[in-house]
mmCIF file of all heavy atoms in Angstrom:
data_model
loop_
_atom_site.group_PDB
_atom_site.id
_atom_site.type_symbol
_atom_site.label_atom_id
_atom_site.label_comp_id
_atom_site.label_asym_id
_atom_site.label_seq_id
_atom_site.Cartn_x
_atom_site.Cartn_y
_atom_site.Cartn_z
ATOM 1 N N GLY R 654 90.837 187.224 163.216
ATOM 2 C CA GLY R 654 90.686 185.923 163.698
ATOM 3 C C GLY R 654 91.060 184.858 162.653
ATOM 4 O O GLY R 654 91.629 183.912 162.928
ATOM 5 N N ILE R 677 102.797 180.486 159.430
ATOM 6 C CA ILE R 677 102.987 181.522 160.435
ATOM 7 C C ILE R 677 103.567 182.774 159.942
ATOM 8 O O ILE R 677 103.158 183.936 160.122
ATOM 9 C CB ILE R 677 103.758 180.946 161.576
ATOM 10 C CG1 ILE R 677 102.890 180.035 162.471
ATOM 11 C CG2 ILE R 677 104.261 182.075 162.534
ATOM 12 C CD1 ILE R 677 103.683 179.266 163.502
ATOM 13 N N MET R 683 100.466 189.263 157.369
ATOM 14 C CA MET R 683 99.183 189.597 157.144
ATOM 15 C C MET R 683 98.650 190.407 158.265
ATOM 16 O O MET R 683 97.977 191.477 158.144
ATOM 17 C CB MET R 683 98.310 188.385 156.874
ATOM 18 C CG MET R 683 98.487 187.592 155.650
ATOM 19 S SD MET R 683 97.870 188.526 154.218
ATOM 20 C CE MET R 683 97.865 187.317 152.924
ATOM 21 N N LEU R 687 97.260 194.154 158.558
ATOM 22 C CA LEU R 687 95.966 194.387 159.187
ATOM 23 C C LEU R 687 96.055 195.433 160.274
ATOM 24 O O LEU R 687 95.326 196.446 160.337
ATOM 25 C CB LEU R 687 95.300 193.147 159.701
ATOM 26 C CG LEU R 687 93.961 193.207 160.241
ATOM 27 C CD1 LEU R 687 92.976 193.601 159.074
ATOM 28 C CD2 LEU R 687 93.529 191.848 160.848
ATOM 29 N N LEU R 718 111.693 183.632 155.985
ATOM 30 C CA LEU R 718 111.581 185.108 155.569
ATOM 31 C C LEU R 718 111.169 185.303 154.253
ATOM 32 O O LEU R 718 110.618 186.371 153.888
ATOM 33 C CB LEU R 718 112.984 185.789 155.890
ATOM 34 C CG LEU R 718 113.488 185.761 157.195
ATOM 35 C CD1 LEU R 718 114.906 186.350 157.362
ATOM 36 C CD2 LEU R 718 112.588 186.574 158.158
ATOM 37 N N ILE R 724 105.086 188.386 150.754
ATOM 38 C CA ILE R 724 103.767 188.904 151.111
ATOM 39 C C ILE R 724 103.848 190.568 151.206
ATOM 40 O O ILE R 724 103.053 191.247 150.665
ATOM 41 C CB ILE R 724 103.219 188.417 152.420
ATOM 42 C CG1 ILE R 724 103.017 186.945 152.393
ATOM 43 C CG2 ILE R 724 101.968 189.288 152.950
ATOM 44 C CD1 ILE R 724 101.787 186.616 151.500
ATOM 45 N N GLU R 775 126.617 178.634 164.590
ATOM 46 C CA GLU R 775 126.993 178.313 166.085
ATOM 47 C C GLU R 775 126.154 177.175 166.596
ATOM 48 O O GLU R 775 126.792 176.344 167.334
ATOM 49 C CB GLU R 775 126.555 179.583 166.881
ATOM 50 C CG GLU R 775 127.496 180.755 166.701
ATOM 51 C CD GLU R 775 127.019 181.995 167.450
ATOM 52 O OE1 GLU R 775 125.920 181.980 168.037
ATOM 53 O OE2 GLU R 775 127.687 183.060 167.280
ATOM 54 N N ARG R 781 128.341 170.011 167.240
ATOM 55 C CA ARG R 781 129.461 169.217 167.055
ATOM 56 C C ARG R 781 130.188 169.110 168.315
ATOM 57 O O ARG R 781 130.705 168.018 168.764
ATOM 58 C CB ARG R 781 130.359 169.883 166.020
ATOM 59 C CG ARG R 781 131.428 168.960 165.615
ATOM 60 C CD ARG R 781 132.196 169.441 164.315
ATOM 61 N NE ARG R 781 133.206 168.484 164.072
ATOM 62 C CZ ARG R 781 133.045 167.303 163.475
ATOM 63 N NH1 ARG R 781 131.942 166.930 163.058
ATOM 64 N NH2 ARG R 781 134.057 166.570 163.243
ATOM 65 N N LEU R 811 134.343 141.960 197.483
ATOM 66 C CA LEU R 811 134.773 142.363 198.852
ATOM 67 C C LEU R 811 133.781 141.982 199.901
ATOM 68 O O LEU R 811 134.030 141.532 200.990
ATOM 69 C CB LEU R 811 135.174 143.878 198.890
ATOM 70 C CG LEU R 811 136.528 144.144 198.264
ATOM 71 C CD1 LEU R 811 136.652 145.710 198.191
ATOM 72 C CD2 LEU R 811 137.614 143.564 199.090
ATOM 73 N N ASP R 880 115.657 118.167 219.973
ATOM 74 C CA ASP R 880 114.767 118.112 218.761
ATOM 75 C C ASP R 880 113.461 118.613 219.103
ATOM 76 O O ASP R 880 112.911 118.470 220.163
ATOM 77 C CB ASP R 880 114.717 116.715 218.197
ATOM 78 C CG ASP R 880 114.296 116.735 216.743
ATOM 79 O OD1 ASP R 880 113.059 116.674 216.583
ATOM 80 O OD2 ASP R 880 115.127 116.739 215.838
ATOM 81 N N ILE R 922 118.225 103.436 203.070
ATOM 82 C CA ILE R 922 117.939 103.875 204.445
ATOM 83 C C ILE R 922 116.533 103.568 204.782
ATOM 84 O O ILE R 922 115.627 103.433 203.864
ATOM 85 C CB ILE R 922 118.153 105.404 204.669
ATOM 86 C CG1 ILE R 922 117.208 106.207 203.817
ATOM 87 C CG2 ILE R 922 119.598 105.829 204.512
ATOM 88 C CD1 ILE R 922 117.159 107.701 204.109
ATOM 89 N N LEU R 975 138.152 114.545 218.219
ATOM 90 C CA LEU R 975 139.503 114.580 218.903
ATOM 91 C C LEU R 975 139.429 114.583 220.405
ATOM 92 O O LEU R 975 140.141 113.904 221.133
ATOM 93 C CB LEU R 975 140.193 115.850 218.447
ATOM 94 C CG LEU R 975 141.682 115.968 218.787
ATOM 95 C CD1 LEU R 975 142.513 115.068 218.013
ATOM 96 C CD2 LEU R 975 142.120 117.444 218.375
ATOM 97 N N HIS R 1035 169.748 113.915 245.560
ATOM 98 C CA HIS R 1035 170.577 113.480 244.446
ATOM 99 C C HIS R 1035 171.131 112.110 244.819
ATOM 100 O O HIS R 1035 171.579 111.854 245.900
ATOM 101 C CB HIS R 1035 171.655 114.443 244.131
ATOM 102 C CG HIS R 1035 171.171 115.805 243.595
ATOM 103 N ND1 HIS R 1035 171.099 116.898 244.533
ATOM 104 C CD2 HIS R 1035 170.708 116.232 242.465
ATOM 105 C CE1 HIS R 1035 170.674 117.893 243.905
ATOM 106 N NE2 HIS R 1035 170.418 117.482 242.629
ATOM 107 N N GLY R 1055 173.498 113.435 226.656
ATOM 108 C CA GLY R 1055 173.908 112.480 225.647
ATOM 109 C C GLY R 1055 175.355 112.605 225.327
ATOM 110 O O GLY R 1055 175.780 112.041 224.319
ATOM 111 N N ILE R 1083 164.643 109.381 229.774
ATOM 112 C CA ILE R 1083 163.174 109.512 229.670
ATOM 113 C C ILE R 1083 162.962 110.678 228.655
ATOM 114 O O ILE R 1083 163.539 111.766 228.848
ATOM 115 C CB ILE R 1083 162.558 109.836 231.048
ATOM 116 C CG1 ILE R 1083 162.893 108.757 232.071
ATOM 117 C CG2 ILE R 1083 161.065 109.914 230.792
ATOM 118 C CD1 ILE R 1083 162.427 109.068 233.465
ATOM 119 N N SER R 1158 209.808 66.457 254.089
ATOM 120 C CA SER R 1158 209.836 65.346 255.060
ATOM 121 C C SER R 1158 208.813 65.557 256.069
ATOM 122 O O SER R 1158 208.247 64.502 256.471
ATOM 123 C CB SER R 1158 211.311 65.358 255.654
ATOM 124 O OG SER R 1158 211.626 66.562 256.413
ATOM 125 N N ASP R 1195 206.184 74.815 249.094
ATOM 126 C CA ASP R 1195 206.895 75.513 250.270
ATOM 127 C C ASP R 1195 207.623 76.747 249.715
ATOM 128 O O ASP R 1195 208.582 77.169 250.416
ATOM 129 C CB ASP R 1195 207.804 74.558 250.942
ATOM 130 C CG ASP R 1195 208.893 73.976 249.939
ATOM 131 O OD1 ASP R 1195 208.748 74.155 248.749
ATOM 132 O OD2 ASP R 1195 209.783 73.325 250.511
ATOM 133 N N ASP R 1258 215.153 83.889 242.567
ATOM 134 C CA ASP R 1258 215.194 82.459 242.618
ATOM 135 C C ASP R 1258 216.518 81.901 242.463
ATOM 136 O O ASP R 1258 216.865 80.950 243.123
ATOM 137 C CB ASP R 1258 214.184 82.072 241.391
ATOM 138 C CG ASP R 1258 213.873 80.523 241.411
ATOM 139 O OD1 ASP R 1258 213.710 80.006 242.626
ATOM 140 O OD2 ASP R 1258 213.818 79.908 240.395
ATOM 141 N N PHE R 1302 228.875 80.857 253.951
ATOM 142 C CA PHE R 1302 228.623 82.163 253.476
ATOM 143 C C PHE R 1302 229.832 82.584 252.568
ATOM 144 O O PHE R 1302 230.933 82.299 252.836
ATOM 145 C CB PHE R 1302 228.631 83.120 254.620
ATOM 146 C CG PHE R 1302 227.469 82.853 255.525
ATOM 147 C CD1 PHE R 1302 227.788 82.131 256.665
ATOM 148 C CD2 PHE R 1302 226.133 83.306 255.286
ATOM 149 C CE1 PHE R 1302 226.745 81.770 257.544
ATOM 150 C CE2 PHE R 1302 225.197 82.968 256.109
ATOM 151 C CZ PHE R 1302 225.425 82.226 257.351
#
Side-chain angles (χ1 to χ4, degrees):
Chain R
I677 286 174
M683 290 284 193
L687 183 63
L718 299 175
I724 295 292
E775 286 174 2
R781 190 168 179 80
L811 282 173
D880 196 274
I922 62 168
L975 193 64
H1035 297 96
I1083 302 174
S1158 62
D1195 58 351
D1258 190 38
F1302 300 94

